């Protein structure tokens, strides 16, 4: 079959694509920027990639007329600009109008369980999307899931951060809300199982694992799996706003997304029936099995995708890859050229491993403090880390940077700042050769926005002198510890 996969760069889409190709389907991947379509397994030569932004109807003309099935795997929940309900409405309307012009026979939509009478804004918005998709006149298959557990999923990372970092938690009453978590492996099985399955046409299914747990039980269940002692005390005074701020400071979740999540946690997300098993028979993984599978992927550095790598319109526009050409005019720079005599591969390996667990090599506490300040002012902070400790790709998150270019062959790494700054910032690290000698070239470029931008740059200048020079020195000399077996 010929399949349209929207959200092909997203957490679910990245994992679903290889499964569709294994089944010998012809896949058309729709992304906002073709340059971001880089897969760890390099699948770009096996699919057709088209550019399209669901918020702009005129950009959807490339959708082929001869598609058989379309996956709708997009959402605007993380937008910090507000009004995500309007964005979801516009996206689904534009998609439905575009699909009406095709021969598509089935739309498959993954959304959240919405069985409560009084839904949160987020879940209510997702329910409205269902209706818009159904208005296309195509057979719709709706899969409603609770929280998804898997390496790199937002739900798993939040549970992981809270449990790993806080031995004693004072929590709001929403931790007593019940939900029915499901493993990412099972979600993917259902997404492929309903594909072109006539029994699934015009059907809505709740999908979940075998366990019904409160959020408290999930936190304590994670602690048990990790051999940690944790205590949770529930108090009624933590308002949604305070809960969101707390979640924002402790986890990588931006405030806007934290607020949407907290508002949704008042709703029980439990399957009301199990008739999905009549269409796609399956024994789903338990919560503990899902956790252990996620631990294995993390230990093996084989996280396929992460929610953090999805673009957040509050920080960057979808055309952020246009910034790959660092501007030369109207900018301020701080350059370091550090000589070294080691093998170039060893030094570049240090560049390739920067950020995340490795840190920034010099005065790491200052980077963490800058990340804390960024969080305080509504930025992303440094808690996002990196998806993989061993690999980098264009579009990846790297603490409060976004990877624009990760070129091993040319030994060059280019980062673009997602932190809150009065302007735009780039950081380039590359290895060069000059007069027969090897150097690490490190260039911090800043394009200020008005007078405040220039004042910010010069106020930070003393820190740049110390920080960047020390960092360059450490990158050229750092040797990772070799652990004995």
């Amino acid at each position: 079959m010929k399949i349209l996969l929207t959200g092909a760069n997203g957490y679910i889409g990245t994992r679903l694509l290889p499964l569709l190709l294994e089944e010998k389907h012809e896949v058309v991947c729709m992304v906002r920027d073709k340059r971001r379509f880089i897969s760890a397994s390099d699948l770009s030569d096996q699919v057709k990639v088209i550019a399209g932004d669901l918020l702009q109807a005129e950009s959807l003309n490339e959708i082929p007329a001869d598609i058989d099935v379309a996956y709708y795997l997009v959402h605007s929940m993380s937008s910090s600009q507000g009004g995500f309900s309007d964005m979801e409405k516009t996206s689904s309307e534009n998609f439905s109008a575009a699909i009406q012009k095709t021969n598509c026979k089935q739309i498959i939509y993954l959304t959240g369980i919405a069985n409560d009478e009084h839904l949160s804004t987020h879940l209510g918005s997702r329910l409205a999307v269902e209706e818009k998709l159904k208005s296309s006149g195509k057979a719709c298959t709706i899969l409603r899931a609770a929280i998804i557990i898997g390496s790199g999923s937002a739900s798993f990372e939040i549970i992981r951060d809270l449990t790993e970092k806080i031995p004693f938690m004072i929590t709001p009453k929403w931790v007593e809300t019940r939900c029915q978590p499901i493993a990412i492996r099972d979600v993917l099985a259902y997404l492929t199982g309903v594909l072109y399955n006539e029994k699934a046409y015009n059907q809505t299914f709740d999908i979940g694992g075998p366990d019904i747990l409160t959020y408290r039980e999930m936190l304590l269940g994670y602690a048990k799996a990790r051999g940690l002692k944790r205590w949770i005390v529930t108090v009624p005074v933590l308002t949604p706003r305070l809960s969101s701020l707390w979640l924002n400071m402790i986890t990588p979740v931006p405030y806007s997304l934290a607020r949407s999540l907290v508002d949704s946690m008042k709703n029980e997300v439990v399957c009301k029936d199990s008739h999905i098993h009549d269409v796609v028979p399956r024994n789903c993984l338990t919560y503990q099995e899902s956790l252990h599978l996620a631990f294995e992927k993390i230990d093996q550095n084989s996280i396929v995708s992460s929610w953090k790598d999805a673009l957040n319109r509050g920080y960057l526009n979808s055309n952020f890859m246009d910034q790959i050409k660092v501007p030369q005019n109207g900018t301020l720079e701080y350059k370091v050229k550090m000589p070294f005599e080691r093998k170039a591969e060893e030094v570049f390996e240090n560049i390739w491993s920067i950020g995340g667990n490795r840190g920034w090599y010099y005065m790491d506490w200052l980077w963490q403090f800058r990340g804390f300040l960024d969080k305080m002012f509504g930025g992303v902070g440094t808690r996002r880390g990196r998806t993989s400790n061993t690999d980098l790709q264009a579009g990846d998150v790297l603490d409060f940077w976004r990877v624009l270019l990760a070129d091993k062959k040319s030994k060059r790494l280019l980062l673009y700042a997602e932190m809150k700054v009065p302007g735009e910032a780039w950081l380039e690290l590359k290895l060069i050769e000059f007069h027969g000698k090897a150097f690490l070239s490190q260039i911090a470029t800043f394009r200020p926005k008005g007078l405040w931008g220039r004042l910010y740059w010069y106020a930070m200048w003393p820190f740049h002198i110390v920080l960047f020079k020390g960092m360059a020195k450490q990158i050229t000399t750092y040797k990772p510890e070799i652990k004995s077996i």
Side-chain angles (χ1 to χ4, degrees):
M1 287 172 288
K2 192 168 186 176
I3 298 170
L4 175 67
L5 180 61
T6 66
N9 276 337
Y11 178 73
I12 300 293
T14 300
R15 295 172 182 241
L16 180 60
L17 176 56
L19 301 180
L20 297 177
L21 292 177
E22 283 178 12
E23 295 180 0
K24 307 303 180 183
H25 298 302
E26 181 183 353
V27 183
V28 179
C29 295
M30 190 173 79
V31 295
R32 283 182 287 182
D33 192 326
K34 292 182 182 180
R35 292 168 296 184
R36 282 201 68 222
F37 191 78
I38 299 174
S39 172
S41 53
D42 192 21
L43 301 176
S44 56
D45 61 342
Q46 300 179 44
V47 301
K48 179 180 179 181
V49 185
I50 62 173
D53 187 338
L54 290 173
L55 290 172
Q56 300 176 15
E58 65 277 7
S59 73
L60 305 181
N61 294 329
E62 281 193 62
I63 295 177
D66 59 344
I67 58 171
D68 298 303
V69 179
Y71 280 97
Y72 191 82
L73 302 176
V74 294
H75 67 79
S76 307
M77 182 178 170
S78 61
S79 171
S80 64
Q81 296 176 337
F84 67 81
S85 294
D86 292 335
M87 295 171 71
E88 297 240 288
K89 178 184 176 185
T90 301
S91 295
S92 55
E93 285 178 344
N94 290 340
F95 180 80
S96 296
I99 289 297
Q100 284 177 348
K101 303 174 185 178
T102 72
N103 299 325
C104 179
K105 299 175 181 62
Q106 181 189 25
I107 297 173
I108 301 173
Y109 174 44
L110 178 64
T111 181
I113 290 178
N115 295 330
D116 271 9
E117 187 175 342
H118 303 289
L119 295 174
S120 68
T121 304
H122 163 234
L123 290 176
S125 174
R126 302 298 274 163
L127 198 60
V129 170
E130 291 184 20
E131 298 306 313
K132 291 295 179 184
L133 296 179
K134 290 175 182 176
S135 71
S136 67
K138 307 295 184 180
C140 287
T141 300
I142 313 296
L143 296 178
R144 295 176 174 175
I147 69 171
I148 297 173
I149 302 298
S151 58
S153 78
S155 303
F156 173 79
E157 295 296 341
I158 291 171
I159 292 170
R160 180 187 181 193
D161 266 357
L162 291 176
T163 313
E164 295 279 357
K165 295 174 181 176
I166 309 175
F168 182 84
M169 284 182 257
I170 299 176
T171 59
K173 58 185 179 181
W174 53 253
V175 297
E176 303 299 342
T177 304
R178 298 190 311 159
C179 69
Q180 195 165 347
I182 183 171
I184 179 62
R185 181 173 294 187
D186 294 320
V187 172
L188 295 172
Y190 286 132
L191 284 169
T192 54
V194 298
L195 175 63
Y196 225 60
N197 186 333
E198 292 188 5
K199 292 181 180 179
Y201 285 10
N202 297 313
Q203 296 292 318
T204 298
F205 302 102
D206 288 349
I207 59 174
D211 301 314
I212 298 176
L213 306 167
T214 64
Y215 291 107
R216 172 202 289 270
E217 289 171 331
M218 282 192 289
L219 290 167
L220 293 177
Y222 180 99
K224 180 182 178 182
R226 291 279 288 119
L228 302 171
K229 292 287 186 181
R230 294 295 182 260
W231 293 267
I232 299 176
V233 175
T234 305
V235 295
V237 294
L238 284 176
T239 64
R241 178 176 172 79
L242 285 174
S243 298
S244 303
L245 287 170
W246 171 69
L247 203 60
N248 172 240
M249 293 305 298
I250 299 299
T251 74
V253 175
Y255 177 76
S256 56
L257 179 54
R259 187 60 188 262
S260 297
L261 289 171
V262 168
D263 287 343
S264 298
M265 285 174 176
K266 68 184 180 183
N267 294 124
E268 279 201 349
V269 279
V270 176
C271 300
K272 66 179 180 181
D273 58 54
S274 58
H275 72 285
I276 181 63
H277 298 299
D278 298 330
V279 179
V280 186
R282 182 170 181 83
N283 293 320
C284 292
L285 297 174
T286 66
Y287 177 60
Q288 286 294 319
E289 289 170 339
S290 304
L291 290 177
H292 286 294
L293 188 61
F295 296 152
E296 287 179 12
K297 296 297 183 183
I298 294 169
D299 290 341
Q300 296 166 3
N301 280 311
S302 56
I303 301 176
V304 177
S305 61
S306 172
W307 72 274
K308 294 177 286 189
D309 292 331
L311 285 185
N312 185 321
R313 287 181 170 268
Y315 304 129
L316 286 178
N317 293 322
S318 59
N319 62 346
F320 81 97
M321 289 294 288
D322 292 340
Q323 307 299 339
I324 199 166
K325 185 174 176 58
V326 181
Q328 302 297 313
N329 300 318
T331 60
L332 302 164
E333 291 182 335
Y334 184 79
K335 298 181 179 180
V336 177
K337 192 162 74 170
M338 186 67 60
F340 64 89
E341 296 182 357
R342 299 173 62 190
K343 290 181 180 179
E345 289 73 17
E346 293 177 352
V347 177
F348 187 71
E349 187 60 35
N350 287 341
I351 294 175
W352 203 251
S353 303
I354 202 167
N357 295 334
R358 177 70 67 88
W360 293 84
Y361 294 104
Y362 186 73
M363 296 180 72
D364 208 49
W365 64 269
L366 191 57
W367 289 94
Q368 296 299 325
F369 181 66
R370 179 64 180 85
F372 171 76
L373 292 178
D374 195 52
K375 274 276 191 179
M376 292 292 290
F377 286 92
V380 296
T382 57
R383 295 190 182 279
R384 298 184 304 175
R386 47 186 287 169
T387 301
S388 170
N389 292 324
T390 58
D391 193 24
L392 283 176
Q393 298 175 22
D396 281 359
V397 157
L398 185 56
D399 291 337
F400 46 46
W401 302 90
R402 181 76 62 166
V403 178
L404 289 181
L405 181 70
D407 189 342
K408 271 192 168 182
K409 186 176 180 180
S410 299
K411 295 182 171 55
R412 181 177 177 227
L413 178 65
L414 179 63
L415 309 176
Y416 184 70
E418 289 192 277
M419 68 189 86
K420 294 281 187 178
V421 290
E424 294 177 284
W426 292 258
L427 179 62
E428 181 187 59
L429 299 159
K430 66 178 179 179
L431 301 187
I432 60 175
E433 194 171 303
F434 188 69
H435 291 317
K437 291 186 178 181
F439 294 85
L440 164 64
S441 170
Q442 184 176 278
I443 304 174
T445 304
F446 185 66
R447 180 160 60 185
K449 187 176 182 180
L451 178 61
W452 284 112
R454 290 187 174 272
L455 291 175
Y456 168 83
W457 175 262
Y458 289 116
M460 295 297 293
W461 184 262
F463 297 100
H464 290 165
I465 293 174
V466 176
L467 185 63
F468 287 125
K469 193 168 290 186
M471 188 172 90
K473 181 66 175 177
Q474 284 295 100
I475 288 175
T476 59
T477 59
Y478 178 84
K479 293 183 180 180
E481 294 182 9
I482 300 176
K483 297 180 179 179
S484 58
I485 299 176

